[in-house]
Amino acid sequence: MSRSVDERADAALEQLAALWTREREATRARFAEERAGRSFAERVERGRALGGLVVVDVDAAPGDRMRLRVELPPHTDLADLALRPGSPVLLWWGDAPEDGDSAVRAVVGRTGAGLTLVVDGDVPERLLEGAFRLDLEAPEVTFDRGDAALWRWRGLEAKDEKRPLRDVLLAGAGASDEGVVVEAAEIGAWHDEALNEPQREAVRHALASRPLFCIQGPPGTGKTRTLVELIRQAIDRDERVLATAASNTAVDNLAERLAAAGVPVVRLGHPARVSEAMEAHTLDAQLEQTDAWKLARQWTREARAVRRKAQRRAGLGRSERRALFAEARGLERDARGQLRGAQKVILGRAAVVCATAASAASPILAEERFDRVVLDEATQLTDPLALVALGRAPRATLAGDDKQLPPTVIDPQAEREGLGATFFERIVQRAPELARELVVQHRMHAAIMAFPSERMYGGRLVAAEGVAAHRLEDLGVRADAQRDAPWLFVDAAGRGWEEEHGEDDPSARNPGQAERVAAEVRRLVRRGVAPEDVAVITPYAAEARLLRRALADLREQGLEVGTVDGFQGREKEAIVVDLVRSNADGRLGFLEDVRRMNVALTRARRFLLVVGDSATLGAHAFYGAFLEAAEKGGAYLSAWSDEPDEAPFE
């Protein structure tokens, strides 16, 4: 490669490193401000802290760690917590979380309705002796892994097999450059015979092109299904695949689809939710089937008994107590050692390993080599974290949709200068020959699809025959003459439902609009829609908290309430969207990024209802067009026209 290519790649890496440093500093500052500027009770109210936690069980975990199962305080609603699987947290029991001798870092996970914590190495004795508190922590490990990846990519030797990949990602190489090949594979037999032609074309090119190919997957077009076929075809060619994504939810979704197709996978990390179909494929579950795990379990039980002896027996001298604690720690270290050997065997025979992009740098994978990385949600991942995953193999397939949510970037300057853009969108724009778009969508009624297709995808989306005209009534739901269209905009203009902001909480909420949204949801359920087939989504966490409380009884029956950001990649038969914003100045906040609205509008299969204030929304070009589409399509309903709880059916 010419020197100019190397110089471009090095310059790009230097720029990324500088932006990554800015982002780390901004993230640290935000977490520090959150902790210093709010009381512990306020942090609990905002879902960023928990108190009164008690350890009820301890086990050795993969990666030389210990897993703690904790008992939550009564009436804790996990849905209101800003804790995501894999989130770093600080556990503390002193006067403040900053007290160095009274705090320990951990990673949070979820098990059903419970919470687990994973700590490196030995468990501090204090955590086992009584209640403690938890605070969200800045993700230092994530930033460290991004930093390490940037240095590794800059230090690639001239003959390194990943140099062509580096040149595409960082130096702008395209199909005409050395080392870049765009071609389609000949595939004799398809595992999934029902794939449509755009999906097959994407698989053919992703399989044969090198070192990189992109699959653009608009909502409902079967991106995950396409990736499953790609991975199965790669295995047929004796490739070993690292299947990864930005979020635990997306990794779980891909892993579950692979497992359902009979592909042997190992799932690493802290799954957001592990279904029955997926549970047996996690590294933890596979370890539990080994003799090593049984022995490790025995030793951790013995360690707990030794600790209890040290804590409860009166008359023990300091040296005797210290010796007992040392014995317990020794037993736990031996347990972790047993698991290390067993996990190496399990990973060594896995054709597909599934993990988040950041977890691709886990020491658990230190000795593992892969032929291909499949990176889903590539448009939601900052470049340094994408490089963590992409550094694991010489070939890569990136999948995503740059018309949906972008990466989360805290520092505005870093976002403007490039950290808010992604490899995926730059490659698709610069070298479209390295990408294929999926265009047949299998989720939405054609009327629900129409506006997002026109505004975001140039009108290219096509509704598959099986979904183009499907309605709630096809499920046995009673008709509703006042809400007969597949999608509706309920206009709250003039109702006086003004948005609110807490004194120190930037998250908007709108109690009046939330009340209307809750009433619309109850009307749907009275029609006969099962609560588990309905989701309520909103851009704002504060509004989601209001809605969860207003709909607590239906949530117990399966109704989901969450933020737009948390619902990307999901779908339901019926979706109700609460846009929240209602103010005299036309301020839209989060809604200014129309990619967030694109996600909100494309989650519903058979029925979509959006509640918003046209007076606030209408001046924006995107929302003005949305309102016009509602009026022209018979999908407009004034909030003055009726009351949802006056529906004639019961």
Side-chain angles (χ1 to χ4, degrees), residues 392-415:
R392 299 309 307 251
R395 301 180 72 173
T397 302
L398 275 59
D401 180 11
D402 57 354
K403 301 299 189 293
Q404 296 188 60
L405 290 170
T408 299
V409 178
I410 302 298
D411 184 87
Q413 182 176 335
E415 182 177 27

Side-chain angles (χ1 to χ4, degrees), residues 86-230:
S87 295
V89 293
L90 195 67
L91 314 178
W92 56 284
W93 49 87
D95 294 330
E98 291 81 6
D99 295 346
D101 294 334
S102 301
V104 62
R105 284 174 171 78
V107 172
V108 71
R110 292 188 184 180
T111 305
L115 206 65
T116 60
L117 301 168
V118 177
V119 299
D120 290 330
D122 297 329
V123 180
E125 303 297 338
R126 175 59 183 80
L127 285 181
L128 306 174
E129 295 175 352
F132 57 93
R133 294 177 170 183
L134 173 155
D135 263 275
L136 268 174
E137 181 76 329
E140 295 292 342
V141 171
T142 299
F143 283 106
D144 289 345
R145 289 176 173 176
D147 280 337
L150 291 167
W151 279 108
R152 281 195 301 272
W153 280 89
R154 188 169 184 180
L156 291 182
E157 297 180 358
K159 295 183 179 180
D160 193 292
E161 62 180 354
K162 290 189 287 293
R163 292 280 284 206
L165 182 56
R166 181 206 68 162
D167 296 339
V168 174
L169 293 169
L170 296 158
S176 61
D177 292 281
E178 181 182 347
V180 180
V181 177
V182 180
E183 56 188 23
E186 291 292 333
I187 296 177
W190 295 91
H191 293 282
D192 186 349
E193 290 287 351
L195 289 178
N196 57 52
E197 188 53 35
Q199 292 170 326
R200 293 187 179 206
E201 189 69 7
V203 172
R204 291 188 192 102
H205 278 83
L207 195 63
S209 300
R210 60 181 187 270
L212 176 146
F213 200 78
C214 297
I215 298 176
Q216 175 115 19
T221 55
K223 172 172 59 68
T224 303
R225 185 175 185 174
T226 304
L227 293 181
V228 169
E229 180 68 28
L230 169 65

Side-chain angles (χ1 to χ4, degrees), residues 324-337:
L324 287 171
F325 282 134
E327 181 184 348
R329 286 192 296 271
L331 285 164
E332 289 170 346
R333 291 188 189 114
D334 290 344
R336 296 196 298 271

Side-chain angles (χ1 to χ4, degrees), residues 326-388:
E327 181 184 348
R329 286 192 296 271
L331 285 164
E332 289 170 346
R333 291 188 189 114
D334 290 344
R336 296 196 298 271
Q338 281 288 318
L339 294 185
R340 279 196 297 272
Q343 76 187 26
K344 185 175 181 180
V345 172
I346 292 170
L347 288 170
R349 66 187 183 214
V352 181
V353 174
C354 302
T356 61
S359 296
S362 169
I364 293 175
L365 294 178
E367 299 178 13
E368 305 301 321
R369 187 193 180 281
F370 300 91
D371 301 295
R372 180 189 299 267
V373 172
V374 173
L375 177 58
D376 197 5
E377 286 188 336
T379 50
Q380 289 187 264
L381 201 63
T382 55
D383 287 351
L385 293 182
L387 289 174
V388 173

